[in-house]
Amino acid sequence: MKTDALIRLTNGAARLGLSLSEDHAGQMFEYLNLLGEWSRTFNLTSVTDPDEQITHHLLDSLSIRCYLAGDQIVDAGTGAGLPGVPLAIVDPARQFTLVDARAKKTRFLRQVTRTLGLENVEIVTGRLEDYRPHTRFDTVVARALAPLPRLVELTGDLLAPDGILLAMKGRDPVKETHELGEPWGVRDTHRLEVPGLRAERHVVVIVKKLT
Ligand code: SAH
């Protein structure tokens, strides 16, 4: 394993308050390897530099770990598995459902779960508009899916009554938060410090207001 990369990942995770085991770090690199292999044929990610993948993909995903609530988590529009795969690796006790409309992405994700032996991950191919899960989710996470008003339209029905929606954003999306209609409200906006990432990151916590 590349030692420098391992040090950067484990130090970065530590700065996020996570003590990453050797096994989990190994799974993270295995994931990046598969992403690299598949990206040669399918365009799965625009971030291909190994250093950038650690910051933009792994650490960025892990930066919302402390805001997850409950056991049932859904990653809406997961793409190549972000933030769902890194979060599922560090949290084997939680169940993660990764949803994407594009079959080439979910085929890749099936390969990832098989190779990494991730037993806490379910993959769903389909549009969020058509997705009718058996149980609702405690937390919906979404990165780079849609502006907030569209995001609640796409994922609002997936939330349990006291569930939360964690929307990962770049700059503080003040304008988008004002465009949220009833019954949605912003509980918090947290500024994220992603180790090694020189860009503003935020997570917006959206809840359904009691009527
Ligand atoms: N979350 C990933 C991918 C972002 S790109 C990341 O941050 O890297 C947005 C992804 O959402 C794409 O993979 C696209 O296929 C998926 N997507 C967009 N609209 C969707 C919808 N209505 N239902 C399901 N998936 C959708």
Side-chain angles (χ1 to χ4, degrees):
M1 191 180 289
K2 298 165 234 122
T3 329
D4 282 357
L6 177 62
I7 291 171
R8 226 149 4 81
L9 175 60
T10 43
N11 285 353
R15 281 175 56 195
L16 295 170
L18 274 167
S19 150
L20 207 60
S21 72
E22 238 173 77
D23 281 357
H24 289 168
Q27 285 177 306
M28 300 263 179
F29 285 112
E30 187 120 42
Y31 168 58
L32 290 188
N33 279 341
L34 283 171
L35 192 58
E37 271 173 31
W38 278 61
S39 291
R40 266 176 242 138
T41 321
F42 307 103
N43 182 22
L44 291 176
T45 172
S46 55
V47 179
T48 49
D49 174 72
D51 284 358
E52 273 189 61
Q53 286 188 331
I54 292 176
T55 51
H56 283 63
H57 288 341
L58 303 181
L59 296 174
D60 191 51
S61 296
L62 296 177
S63 70
I64 60 161
R65 195 304 178 88
C66 59
Y67 300 111
L68 296 180
D71 295 335
Q72 295 292 330
I73 319 289
V74 61
D75 183 3
T78 185
L82 298 160
V85 167
L87 289 172
I89 290 172
V90 296
D91 237 335
R94 285 181 159 126
Q95 183 65 35
F96 290 80
T97 303
L98 314 185
V99 183
D100 204 282
R102 304 285 302 277
K104 78 169 180 185
K105 312 242 170 136
T106 52
R107 251 199 319 275
F108 165 70
L109 290 171
R110 290 213 167 80
Q111 180 68 50
V112 168
T113 50
R114 265 197 305 273
T115 309
L116 272 59
L118 290 177
E119 290 173 1
N120 59 332
V121 175
E122 190 190 336
I123 314 288
V124 175
T125 309
R127 289 165 56 79
L128 289 156
E129 295 88 325
D130 307 326
Y131 179 41
R132 302 281 177 275
H134 297 300
T135 52
R136 309 251 210 116
F137 296 92
D138 302 307
T139 303
V140 173
V141 298
R143 189 180 86 159
L145 177 61
L148 299 180
R150 177 75 182 136
L151 195 57
V152 295
E153 252 173 48
L154 285 172
T155 65
D157 286 345
L158 304 180
L159 274 182
D162 56 352
I164 59 171
L165 166 55
L166 297 179
M168 299 176 73
K169 293 283 171 183
R171 290 221 192 106
D172 189 350
V174 183
K175 186 165 167 283
E176 279 177 45
T177 58
H178 289 139
E179 287 164 359
L180 272 178
E182 295 293 330
W184 302 102
V186 173
R187 180 189 282 171
D188 279 308
T189 299
H190 303 283
R191 195 192 158 107
L192 301 168
E193 295 294 338
V194 181
L197 193 68
R198 273 187 292 272
E200 259 189 66
R201 306 288 293 142
H202 288 84
V203 64
V204 186
V205 186
I206 298 169
V207 294
K208 204 172 195 165
K209 288 190 258 179
L210 293 173
T211 46

